[in-house]
Amino acid sequence: MPKQVDPEARRRHVVDALFRVVVRDGLQRTSLRAVADEAALNIGSLRHYFSGQQELMRFAMGSMLERVAARLVDRVEEIGELIDYPRRQQLALCTDLLAELLPLDARRRAEVTVFLDFNTAARTDPSLADLSRQTAEGVRDLVRRILDRLEDAGTLRPGLDRALETERLASLVDGLGMNGVLHPEVLDPDDCLAVLRAHLKGLTR
């Protein structure tokens, strides 16, 4: 009897292989053949699930967005209302939440690396532009929610321009992520967290 294969499990397996190839070799060197070899599949099997490289790339980026978003939603639910915590712990919780987007360990470093490569590719590939925009909007939505919760808890400094502060903090997270991947010898994980903590502290009363 032929072995039954779960299509979704196989797709996830292929996507994980693609991530490893991108982190190791860069997106520009990531081909269907390279991903098939990494996943220990023949290229014909790969084409059974993805019609071509573009479909594979879109599915991989979408899967990455879903994976990170689900993790962040879980963290937000765990935290609940910030007003239930002392002010110092509020800031620690917000820092930890945003730190999910920074290259602080092997898993997050791989995710940020893949994000950077995909977003760079999206600059010249219209087929990836919507996913790149979704990434940027998702970061800003998370930052906005965090600032909303700090304000609801009475922790945020009064009189702040919320739209401006959302963009400042989102841009800070993006910059820390990029430099943490490209220049880890200049900006290590401890430095990333220290900068993020200092910025959040500066937004409070």
Side-chain angles (χ1 to χ4, degrees), residues 27 114-125 128 132:
L27 186 63
V114 172
F115 274 134
L116 287 175
D117 270 19
F118 270 106
N119 283 319
T120 300
R123 187 182 69 82
T124 55
D125 185 347
L128 298 175
S132 178

Side-chain angles (χ1 to χ4, degrees), residues 77-122:
E77 291 301 318
E78 288 174 9
I79 291 172
E81 297 299 326
L82 287 177
I83 198 170
D84 296 331
Y85 300 93
R87 185 160 299 183
R88 181 176 294 182
Q89 192 172 358
Q90 291 177 22
L91 294 179
L93 290 168
C94 291
T95 300
D96 288 345
L97 188 55
L98 289 169
E100 285 297 316
L101 304 176
L102 299 178
L104 304 183
D105 54 30
R107 171 180 58 76
R108 285 176 286 186
R109 175 171 294 279
E111 289 175 348
V112 176
T113 299
V114 172
F115 274 134
L116 287 175
D117 270 19
F118 270 106
N119 283 319
T120 300

Side-chain angles (χ1 to χ4, degrees), residues 71-80 97 142 145 149:
R71 196 167 71 236
L72 290 172
V73 168
D74 288 344
R75 293 293 300 275
V76 170
E77 291 301 318
E78 288 174 9
I79 291 172
L97 188 55
L142 175 65
R145 289 171 183 267
R149 292 200 175 199

